[in-house]
Amino acid sequence: MFQYILFDLDGTLTDPKPGITGCVQYALHEMGIEEPDLDRLEIFIGPPLMDSFMEFYGMERQMAERAVEKYRERFAVTGIYENELYPGMKEMLAALKEAGCHLAVASSKPEPFVKRILEHFGIAEYFDVAVGSGLDGSLAQKEDVVREALRRLGEQMDAAGSALPQDDSIGKAAVMVGDRKFDVIGARALGLRCVGVSFGYAQPGELEEAGAWRIAQNVETPGRILLEEV
């Protein structure tokens, strides 16, 4: 089995659609753009917000920065709780922890929000570390977040008298779990395999095209895959 498992948050551990799309809609309104169809805003679930506002609505960087500020204005108070844990997720995390796996969260969401969400749903206890992007724009890309999660896990292992592999064997010991191509790409950049979850927000064929190692169709499947001998 994998000793170290990194999980994405949005679309992987929780279904954040109402909160994320509602906050994007609010931010767009504040920027003079009306988007009544929340389903069209699902594309914002996964990638960095700044990139999404620039790519999907053609904003210049300064305007996108303002949109991110307005998004967070609503998210910090309301949107963060417009979210729900996927059924069976807590049980899967408990089983992995009981099996001796070291778990981490590696999310593009700002780290303070990541930690609040884990606490809100009562699953923070299962994770050795929880890493997100910085409110100052640091760790903006998924590869950077995954690298930082591995670094913090390594520090914990060193303190406990064991060690996280630092050579090519890291790919046999650690794995990423996520629902978008960004998770797959970020993991592969660091030599990790990625279990893609199709119950999140990937477009058809997105995970396969990005090079996901395995695809999980439901919440129960990732646990079985992660506990297999590799």
Side-chain angles (χ1 to χ4, degrees), residues 184 188 198 203-212 215 217:
V184 181
R188 294 187 67 187
S198 65
Q203 296 298 306
E206 176 182 326
L207 294 168
E208 292 86 347
E209 290 174 12
I215 306 292
Q217 305 296 331

Side-chain angles (χ1 to χ4, degrees), residues 56-115:
F56 303 129
Y57 284 87
M59 296 183 183
E60 298 294 334
R61 177 164 290 275
Q62 187 172 6
M63 185 178 182
E65 289 175 348
R66 179 64 176 158
V68 170
E69 289 178 4
K70 302 309 293 186
Y71 173 98
R72 290 175 178 168
E73 180 178 278
R74 183 182 185 278
F75 188 84
V77 177
T78 304
I80 193 170
Y81 302 116
E82 295 174 326
N83 194 354
E84 62 181 18
L85 194 67
Y86 283 117
M89 187 59 66
K90 182 177 289 190
E91 291 77 7
M92 185 192 73
L93 295 173
L96 292 173
K97 199 69 177 175
E98 185 176 350
C101 301
H102 297 280
L103 310 183
V105 172
S107 170
S108 293
K109 187 182 294 297
E111 191 167 309
F113 295 153
V114 170
K115 292 181 176 178

Side-chain angles (χ1 to χ4, degrees), residues 43 45-48 108 142-143 180-187 206 210:
I43 52 178
I45 302 175
S108 293
K142 195 69 181 212
E143 177 182 345
R180 298 296 311 275
K181 64 181 180 182
F182 312 99
D183 303 307
V184 181
I185 294 168
E206 176 182 326

Side-chain angles (χ1 to χ4, degrees), residues 176-204:
M176 179 79 199
V177 182
D179 73 310
R180 298 296 311 275
K181 64 181 180 182
F182 312 99
D183 303 307
V184 181
I185 294 168
R188 294 187 67 187
L190 296 169
L192 307 187
R193 282 174 279 190
C194 183
V195 175
V197 297
S198 65
F199 52 80
Y201 287 90
Q203 296 298 306

Side-chain angles (χ1 to χ4, degrees), residues 31 49 79 139 194 225:
M31 306 308 292
L49 276 174
L139 301 182
C194 183
I225 293 172

